[in-house]
């Protein structure tokens, strides 16, 4: 039986990454109903000073690892070893692992501490890398894929607008805008995963043999 190439196997990371981090978020919410969704960011579920921070921390780390695997798997679709969009996506995954390592601080002014600031910087860089991945993916679309390219650029614009809205939200009321920003981001990951799987199937129409 034919073995599925490891690059194509990496595409599964894109399937698993969004539900993994969403599940971690829901578990964290169940563990900490005292957190206010309007005033507390997602990172507070893994912050220093909170009990049982490991669900969200693990979710961030697993999401990052799965995204790195997905970026590797996209090579089987793009057929380019050095693809800027894949690199930006892998950087996004690595930085999300960084947010799990450099945890937020639960204190009121926790973002002013060294680790708290490092967490915010790492998170900001992670979503900047994701924005670059969106733009570069749209840019790399084939000339005949005009509709896909336009949608890609429009979606990147939406992601940027929601992100700027989150940054413009006062520090004491960022919860809902951050959640919207995160949802738009992981929805793109899910969309690009479906597109990659469809394209992979078209490129390898006879690879239906079970994986050994």
């Amino acid at each position: 039986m034919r073995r599925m190439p490891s690059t194509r196997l990496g595409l599964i990371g894109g399937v698993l990454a969004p539900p993994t981090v969403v599940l971690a978020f829901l578990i964290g919410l169940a563990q900490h109903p005292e957190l206010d969704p309007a005033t507390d960011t997602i990172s507070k579920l893994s912050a220093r000073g909170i009990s049982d921070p490991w669900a969200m921390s693990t979710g961030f780390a697993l999401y990052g690892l799965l995204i790195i695997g997905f970026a590797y798997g996209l090579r089987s679709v793009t057929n380019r070893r050095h693809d800027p969009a894949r690199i930006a996506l892998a950087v996004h995954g690595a930085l999300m692992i960084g947010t799990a390592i450099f945890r937020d601080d639960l204190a009121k002014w926790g973002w002013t501490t060294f680790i708290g600031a490092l967490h915010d910087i790492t998170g900001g860089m992670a979503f900047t890398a994701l924005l670059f991945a969106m733009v570069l993916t749209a840019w790399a679309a084939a000339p005949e894929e005009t509709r896909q390219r336009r949608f890609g650029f429009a979606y990147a614009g939406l992601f940027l607008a929601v992100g700027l809205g989150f940054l413009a939200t006062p520090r004491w009321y960022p919860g809902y805008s951050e959640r919207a920003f995160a949802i738009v981001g992981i929805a793109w990951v899910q969309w690009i995963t479906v597109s990659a799987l469809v394209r992979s199937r078209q490129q390898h129409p006879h690879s239906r043999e079970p994986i050994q």
Side-chain angles (χ1 to χ4, degrees), residues 41-171:
T41 60
I42 297 170
S43 295
K44 296 301 182 185
L45 294 171
S46 65
R48 292 179 300 156
I50 198 170
S51 61
D52 299 321
W54 307 114
M56 199 68 249
S57 293
T58 302
F60 285 147
L62 287 177
Y63 170 85
L65 288 171
L66 289 167
I67 287 295
I68 292 173
F70 176 53
Y72 175 70
L74 282 174
R75 181 180 172 183
S76 66
V77 178
T78 63
N79 296 317
R80 292 192 297 271
R81 186 172 185 179
H82 302 294
D83 180 16
R86 289 196 307 108
I87 293 172
L89 194 58
V91 170
H92 167 67
L95 288 168
M96 288 302 296
I97 296 174
T99 64
I101 297 172
F102 306 114
R103 293 158 52 203
D104 201 359
D105 196 312
L106 193 61
K108 183 177 180 179
W109 299 100
W111 59 276
T112 62
T113 65
F114 176 74
I115 296 297
L118 196 57
H119 172 86
D120 286 351
I121 292 171
T122 304
M125 291 173 63
F127 282 100
T128 300
L130 185 59
L131 175 63
F132 273 101
M134 292 179 183
V135 172
L136 292 169
T137 299
W139 185 267
E144 63 272 15
E145 297 176 326
T146 304
R147 183 177 300 178
Q148 183 174 344
R149 174 176 291 192
R150 289 176 178 173
F151 177 80
F153 282 129
Y155 200 96
L158 171 65
F159 184 67
L160 177 60
V162 176
L164 291 175
F166 165 59
L167 293 176
T169 305
R171 273 278 176 183

